[in-house]
């Protein structure tokens, strides 16, 4: 059974950077789509960034495009999210997730398709 463990969250001031990591145990990332979602208090969990199993294409929410970069190291079964120029509205609990399929611009954003989730890592950005 796959387990996902996120790390790298913390508290930063606006304009700062953080790099999140997510290590998958019990599952190779090859042929899996991976994504980062986030959830702020009182809000729905939303898609942030994803890497498709098909050609490794990357997709981003409009709110983070140009500031966040998703990457993965299949040999280490690790997924990363580099977050630059952080804003207070980026404050949330960040989750990584794995899915079989979810290879298109639409499907990769659908949280219902993800079969494994981490416990989340908190990111807090102060103004």
């Amino acid at each position: 059974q796959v387990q996902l463990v996120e790390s790298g969250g913390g508290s930063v001031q606006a304009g700062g950077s953080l790099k999140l990591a997510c290590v998958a145990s019990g599952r190779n990332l090859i042929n899996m789509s991976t994504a980062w979602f986030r959830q702020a208090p009182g809000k729905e969990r939303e898609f942030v960034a994803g890497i498709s199993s098909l050609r490794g294409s990357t997709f981003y929410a409009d709110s983070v495009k140009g500031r966040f970069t998703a990457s993965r190291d299949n040999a280490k079964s690790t997924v990363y999210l580099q977050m630059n120029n952080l804003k207070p509205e980026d404050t949330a609990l960040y989750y990584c997730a794995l899915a079989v399929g979810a290879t298109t611009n639409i499907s990769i954003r659908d949280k219902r398709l993800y079969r494994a989730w981490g416990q989340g890592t908190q990111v807090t950005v102060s103004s």
Side-chain angles (χ1 to χ4, degrees), residues 47-65:
F47 172 81
V48 176
I51 301 176
S52 167
S53 59
L54 189 64
R55 294 187 293 274
S57 300
T58 54
F59 302 90
Y60 298 94
D62 288 344
S63 59
V64 306
K65 202 172 293 182

Side-chain angles (χ1 to χ4, degrees), residues 3-49:
Q3 281 192 317
L4 303 177
V5 179
E6 302 99 334
S7 62
S11 297
V12 296
Q13 290 194 324
S17 298
L18 286 172
K19 186 173 184 177
L20 306 183
C22 172
V23 179
S25 59
R27 190 61 162 95
N28 196 302
L29 294 184
I30 294 174
N31 297 323
M32 300 289 286
S33 292
T34 59
W36 291 93
F37 288 79
R38 67 186 181 187
Q39 188 167 17
K43 294 189 176 182
E44 292 283 326
R45 190 172 298 189
E46 64 175 1
F47 172 81
V48 176

